[in-house]
Amino acid sequence: MNASTRYIAPTGLDPVMNRIFNWLPKLGISIAGSRLLAVRGRKSGEWRTTMVNLLVDETGTRYLVAPRGHTQWVRNLRVAGAGELRLGRKAEAFTATEVADADKVPVLRVYLEKWGWEVNRFFGGVTKDATDAELAAIAPGFPVFRLA
């Protein structure tokens, strides 16, 4: 699979679990920093939502990482350039800048340190303990956005 088009679709129980877990942020429940991402659809202009893991690094910089690859929310965010992070009744607007592949290695490492237990199946055996070269090799398949 081409890294620039890598996408792992939900299978088996994933769609059911995704629906259940998307309710948690709507109810104001965050698991390890999860939020409901809301982005305008690139064609419809309507709000589209999905649960994401909000990554905050040691400097306080916030990121969204797409472990399943070039998903619909990634494509919508590229076009919209902005969205909202929702938790319960709170909605925080943000703008997003996509991170270049060469700059993703430290972000992917921190992401795997925090959420490897949840997302490791999407990383093909690459873990937080991977070398910089191993993380750089997979970086094109994992879109990352810096939030402001």
Side-chain angles (χ1 to χ4, degrees):
M1 178 182 295
N2 182 338
S4 65
T5 60
R6 179 188 161 276
Y7 170 63
I8 299 174
T11 59
L13 289 177
D14 289 344
V16 172
M17 298 305 290
N18 287 345
R19 281 194 291 280
I20 291 169
F21 284 112
N22 280 336
W23 274 101
L24 295 176
K26 290 178 183 177
L27 297 172
I29 300 168
S30 173
I31 298 175
S34 63
R35 298 289 188 277
L36 192 67
L37 170 66
V39 180
R40 296 272 184 190
R42 61 192 181 281
K43 295 177 184 172
S44 70
E46 295 181 18
W47 286 107
R48 304 293 183 198
T49 59
T50 191
M51 191 181 89
V52 293
N53 293 321
L54 176 63
L55 177 64
V56 182
D57 72 9
E58 69 280 351
T59 68
T61 305
R62 299 176 321 148
Y63 298 92
L64 293 179
V65 176
R68 289 182 179 271
H70 299 269
T71 63
Q72 294 301 320
W73 75 257
V74 166
R75 294 171 185 166
N76 288 338
L77 189 53
R78 284 178 177 145
V79 171
E84 292 180 353
L85 291 174
R86 299 175 180 174
L87 186 61
R89 294 178 181 215
K90 297 177 185 175
E92 177 191 359
F94 68 85
T95 57
T97 305
E98 192 159 4
V99 176
D101 291 341
D103 299 327
K104 291 178 185 176
V105 168
V107 178
L108 291 174
R109 185 175 311 285
V110 173
Y111 186 80
L112 286 166
E113 286 172 2
K114 187 160 186 178
W115 286 292
W117 59 272
E118 178 187 348
V119 300
N120 62 354
R121 65 188 174 126
F122 305 123
F123 281 81
V126 175
T127 69
K128 65 180 173 60
D129 298 319
T131 65
D132 286 353
E134 289 170 323
L135 288 169
I138 67 164
F142 295 86
V144 175
F145 294 88
R146 183 179 300 107
L147 307 184

